Amino acid sequence: MSAGLSKSRYTRGVQCPKMLWMECHMPEQFDDSVMNEAILQAGSEVGDLAMGYYGEFKEVPFDPSDWDGMMAHTRELMAAGVPNVCEATFSFDGNLCMVDILRVEEDGVHIVEVKSSTHLKDIYYHDMAYQTWVLTHCRLNVKSVSLMHVNNQYVRQGELDLQRLFVVEDCTDEVFEMLEEVGERIEALKTLMASDCEPFVSIGQHCKSPYECGYRGWCWRHLPRTSVFDLNRVQMRKALDLVDRGIVSLADVAGEGVSLNPRQQVQVDCAVSEVEAVVDRAGVSAFLDTLSFPLYFLDFETMQPAIPPFDGVRPYQQIPTQYSLHVLRDAGAELEHYEFLAEAHGDPRRSVAEHLVSDIPMGVCSLAYNMSFEKGRIREMAEMFPDLAPHLLDIADNMRDLLTPFSKGWYYARAMGGSNSIKAVLPALFPDDPELDYHALEGVHNGSEAMNAFVALAHMGEEEAAITREQLLRYCELDTLAMVKIWQKLVDAIK
């Protein structure tokens, strides 16, 4: 086990010292589901592009087996007068850091930390302070410290404009004020890392912020399967306050007379009475009365690139890439299915829009689960393509939200655990239906995997791409089939 720190280890220690201890002593407890591949890929893309922001640069090749070589290469580039050294590597007393962009001048250096986020976060100050501390102890004159992040208001038109894509914020004063505490924290963290005793740290906001902790399962293992943290839309602070008062389970909540909103009250009553489901027939019936045949069940999949790939796109804008559509002409009709998946090369929005208006007539009732997402994408395409706008806006205006009966508390199943998401509602309503098992799908099991798979299509060979496209289609199809099944469950509930 290394006794040294890196800037990522240091910031993990800032968030929660126990997180760092777990990484050193119990790494097998890490839940890698917290690692979002799309976010990691975005960080890599943004970092690569940002290198050219200040003009001429040289990058120090990454080689984790030869840190000494990376540090020597950094010094060589600086001595050669390279104005911008990327991934500049330094170490002091076993504390390693790699500076994203080091701007080199005769009388000192400027640190530029690059993040793929769209705003400055508190944790970034600690990241930059650690780097500044290391470089200062390496006898470099740090003249300024800045954060470069993505400007989500930038709309691409033609070639990428790096000066508009990125925002650079001067953080020098704030970082310099933090330097004294950095050395003290480094020593404390090194002592902690060297200890064989698991530190005691109460659960709290740091378990999810600023980053989701992969060791949460270990630290939260003492909680019951369903606890106050599972209350519908409960704020972390309120849940923690309840735990501090000894109110942990939903039975505790009922016994202590905790103030709850109507949705939470249904959840607690259901849990305490062990009733499988609670149905407000009047509410469900009123919702179903807003629907009319034929019914069009719609679901989009999108990609969300950090770097806008097409004209008229902002960073992180949701770009529709495919949809699934199940159609029920009337209550006794055979279920129909339509689908579209765009080609991976080029802007997919026009082809998605054209196929959508071809598959959904004007004036019909469509359904989505959490419809604000689908309506938002449709309205964006209407703005983009004026010739299709009347038809697209008609689809959006006639859409209904299948989420409504669940978000309103008109239908609550105990197995939902307080969540209204379709991934919670579906297994709660159909616990033993293999047809609705996302885990049984090949390759693509959730929206994040679908996003990554579509982006990867452009770099695949013909055979691999064909397999991946089929996996994407089957995943999206299951989303709308699930919606049909949920709608039928609601219909049966009021019979």
Side-chain angles (χ1 to χ4, degrees):
M1 180 187 69
S2 171
L5 287 169
S6 62
K7 64 178 182 179
S8 57
R9 276 189 160 189
Y10 178 81
T11 53
R12 283 195 285 275
V14 169
Q15 178 172 339
C16 176
K18 186 174 179 178
M19 187 193 308
L20 181 58
W21 186 91
M22 292 289 294
E23 178 182 317
C24 296
H25 295 271
M26 300 177 69
E28 71 280 0
Q29 296 296 333
F30 185 75
D31 177 6
D32 61 8
S33 67
V34 302
M35 305 296 290
N36 188 313
E37 192 62 35
I39 293 177
L40 296 175
Q41 180 63 29
S44 179
E45 292 175 359
V46 167
D48 289 346
L49 197 60
M51 291 182 187
Y53 183 89
Y54 294 103
E56 178 190 349
F57 70 91
K58 293 287 186 181
E59 180 183 5
V60 177
F62 180 65
D63 184 357
S65 66
D66 186 15
W67 296 115
D68 288 340
M70 293 179 65
M71 288 186 279
H73 193 179
T74 297
R75 291 292 187 175
E76 290 170 3
L77 293 175
M78 294 175 66
V82 174
N84 301 293
V85 181
C86 300
E87 304 301 336
T89 308
F90 303 90
S91 179
F92 174 76
D93 194 23
N95 302 298
L96 178 76
C97 82
M98 297 167 60
V99 180
D100 291 333
I101 303 174
L102 187 71
R103 302 182 63 201
V104 183
E105 297 178 350
E106 288 187 5
D107 60 342
V109 297
H110 303 265
I111 293 174
V112 181
E113 173 67 9
V114 179
K115 297 295 185 185
S116 58
S117 70
T118 58
H119 61 281
L120 199 160
K121 303 177 182 179
D122 286 344
I123 193 66
Y124 298 161
Y125 286 114
H126 293 281
D127 189 326
M128 292 182 286
Y130 173 83
Q131 295 177 60
T132 305
W133 186 90
V134 171
L135 267 63
T136 299
H137 281 77
C138 289
R139 300 189 177 182
L140 291 175
N141 176 29
V142 178
K143 299 174 65 177
S144 73
V145 188
S146 301
L147 181 83
M148 181 186 296
H149 63 79
V150 175
N151 172 19
N152 63 355
Q153 300 304 307
Y154 166 66
V155 179
R156 178 171 181 167
Q157 296 295 339
E159 293 297 315
L160 277 174
D161 183 344
L162 298 187
Q163 303 302 313
R164 297 178 60 208
L165 173 63
F166 293 111
V167 173
V168 179
E169 297 192 41
D170 189 310
C171 304
T172 307
D173 291 343
E174 294 88 344
V175 167
F176 280 12
E177 289 177 2
M178 299 171 66
L179 289 182
E180 185 174 342
E181 70 185 55
V182 173
E184 296 173 359
R185 180 175 275 119
I186 286 174
E187 291 307 311
L189 291 176
K190 283 186 174 182
T191 300
L192 178 82
M193 292 162 64
S195 173
D196 291 330
C197 297
E198 179 180 345
F200 174 77
V201 179
S202 298
I203 62 175
Q205 298 276 8
H206 53 269
C207 297
K208 299 186 69 175
S209 177
Y211 305 111
E212 187 81 25
C213 178
Y215 298 103
R216 180 175 167 182
W218 175 261
C219 296
W220 290 46
R221 67 191 186 281
H222 62 287
L223 296 176
R225 183 179 178 184
T226 304
S227 71
V228 292
F229 294 96
D230 300 304
L231 285 170
N232 181 255
R233 295 191 176 184
V234 68
Q235 293 184 346
M236 173 72 87
R237 184 174 288 103
K238 179 177 180 179
L240 289 168
D241 288 344
L242 291 174
V243 171
D244 287 343
R245 292 163 53 191
I247 302 170
V248 180
S249 69
L250 297 191
D252 295 336
V253 171
E256 294 294 331
V258 176
S259 176
L260 302 171
N261 64 39
R263 179 69 177 77
Q264 293 170 338
Q265 190 65 59
V266 170
Q267 182 184 355
V268 170
D269 292 345
C270 198
V272 173
S273 65
E274 296 191 351
V275 173
E276 291 299 324
V278 175
V279 181
D280 179 340
R281 292 173 178 269
V284 172
S285 180
F287 168 75
L288 293 175
D289 285 345
T290 67
L291 312 181
S292 59
F293 289 107
L295 292 173
Y296 286 72
F297 298 83
L298 175 67
D299 179 73
F300 282 134
E301 296 301 328
T302 62
M303 62 177 178
Q304 194 178 13
I307 309 300
F310 318 116
D311 285 357
V313 176
R314 300 182 310 278
Y316 295 110
Q317 181 175 327
Q318 297 273 8
I319 301 173
T321 56
Q322 71 175 110
Y323 65 80
S324 174
L325 188 67
H326 272 92
V327 180
L328 198 61
R329 303 290 174 185
D330 58 57
E334 183 176 346
L335 192 62
E336 303 171 25
H337 182 244
Y338 304 87
E339 61 190 5
F340 176 74
L341 173 58
E343 295 300 319
H345 301 279
D347 189 340
R349 290 174 294 175
R350 179 75 194 190
S351 58
V352 169
E354 288 178 343
H355 281 81
L356 192 67
V357 299
S358 175
D359 285 341
I360 303 181
M362 294 182 73
V364 301
C365 179
S366 60
L367 276 161
Y369 201 96
N370 194 11
M371 69 178 182
S372 61
F373 182 80
E374 272 70 23
K375 291 179 76 168
R377 306 296 77 75
I378 290 172
R379 285 172 174 158
E380 287 169 355
M381 289 188 290
E383 184 175 352
M384 186 79 179
F385 310 116
D387 59 316
L388 302 177
H391 197 143
L392 288 169
L393 293 175
D394 180 85
I395 294 172
D397 290 342
N398 286 290
M399 188 173 288
R400 301 293 181 266
D401 199 340
L402 193 58
L403 171 67
T404 300
F406 304 98
S407 64
K408 295 290 188 181
W410 298 333
Y411 194 116
Y412 178 74
R414 183 155 53 96
M416 287 164 53
S419 173
N420 302 321
S421 77
I422 194 168
K423 296 301 188 293
V425 170
L426 191 64
L429 271 55
F430 305 95
D432 301 311
D433 191 336
E435 186 182 23
L436 301 176
D437 184 4
Y438 283 86
H439 298 291
L441 293 171
E442 293 289 336
V444 179
H445 310 89
N446 55 56
S448 179
E449 290 181 0
M451 186 181 299
N452 295 336
F454 182 83
V455 173
L457 279 173
H459 310 289
M460 294 180 182
E462 185 176 342
E463 183 176 348
E464 184 183 9
I467 293 172
T468 301
R469 288 180 67 85
E470 181 64 19
Q471 293 171 346
L472 282 165
L473 290 170
R474 299 293 71 78
Y475 166 73
C476 197
E477 178 183 11
L478 183 51
D479 272 348
T480 50
L481 177 62
M483 291 166 57
V484 175
K485 294 278 192 175
I486 291 171
W487 167 82
Q488 186 63 58
K489 194 79 168 182
L490 294 172
V491 172
D492 294 342
I494 64 168
K495 285 183 178 178

